[in-house]
Amino acid sequence: ADMAHSMFGAARSANAEELLSRVVDSFVGVSVEDENHGIALNYCLYHTRHHSFPDTDPYKVNDALDALRERLGIHAQLEKQEALEMLLGRFGQLPWPSDVPDIHSRVRAAAA
């Protein structure tokens, strides 16, 4: 590989690691100082490194979230079920400046 490609790849990898580190900190709630942060970050990196993100079907996302709600209810995880509803409600209200169609469904798909 030429030098420009490897520099691009290194920059892309560093950027992805930084972004996923923030995701782990913000959404998962595991701070950088926590020993589990590295484990969670490596999990995210592994599952996104070679993943292609196809177009998201909002109906399938809603079905997956409904199934998650049902599983939480069946297992008496009512606080988690309520927290999921609250977070999804908040997320649905966020303006998302993007030219990507149906960005809310795409992000919610990652949570389901």
Side-chain angles (χ1 to χ4, degrees), residues 40-59:
L41 177 61
N42 284 336
Y43 178 87
C44 290
L45 287 169
Y46 175 79
H47 288 286
T48 58
R49 188 164 285 132
H50 301 290
H51 184 77
S52 63
F53 297 94
D55 286 339
T56 303
D57 180 351
Y59 298 106

Side-chain angles (χ1 to χ4, degrees), residues 84-107:
L84 176 65
E85 289 303 318
M86 185 225 13
L87 291 172
L88 288 172
R90 281 186 189 174
F91 180 73
Q93 300 302 315
L94 290 175
W96 200 296
S98 174
D99 58 351
V100 176
D102 202 15
I103 190 70
H104 283 89
S105 290
R106 289 173 186 244
V107 175

Side-chain angles (χ1 to χ4, degrees), residues 1-110:
D2 63 347
M3 185 67 159
H5 180 72
S6 60
M7 286 175 45
F8 172 79
R12 181 175 185 260
S13 180
N15 189 29
E17 188 168 333
E18 171 60 30
L19 290 172
L20 288 172
S21 179
R22 285 198 245 159
V23 166
V24 168
D25 188 33
S26 298
F27 291 108
V28 180
V30 180
S31 68
V32 176
E33 296 82 24
D34 191 310
E35 64 183 81
N36 290 325
H37 186 270
I39 294 169
L41 177 61
N42 284 336
Y43 178 87
C44 290
L45 287 169
Y46 175 79
H47 288 286
T48 58
R49 188 164 285 132
H50 301 290
H51 184 77
S52 63
F53 297 94
D55 286 339
T56 303
D57 180 351
Y59 298 106
K60 287 183 181 180
V61 171
N62 288 333
D63 288 347
L65 288 170
D66 287 343
L68 178 58
R69 287 181 191 103
E70 185 178 345
R71 281 193 308 268
L72 291 172
I74 289 172
H75 295 290
Q77 301 285 321
L78 301 180
E79 288 179 8
K80 290 179 182 177
Q81 192 179 39
E82 289 173 7
L84 176 65
E85 289 303 318
M86 185 225 13
L87 291 172
L88 288 172
R90 281 186 189 174
F91 180 73
Q93 300 302 315
L94 290 175
W96 200 296
S98 174
D99 58 351
V100 176
D102 202 15
I103 190 70
H104 283 89
S105 290
R106 289 173 186 244
V107 175
R108 286 191 344 237

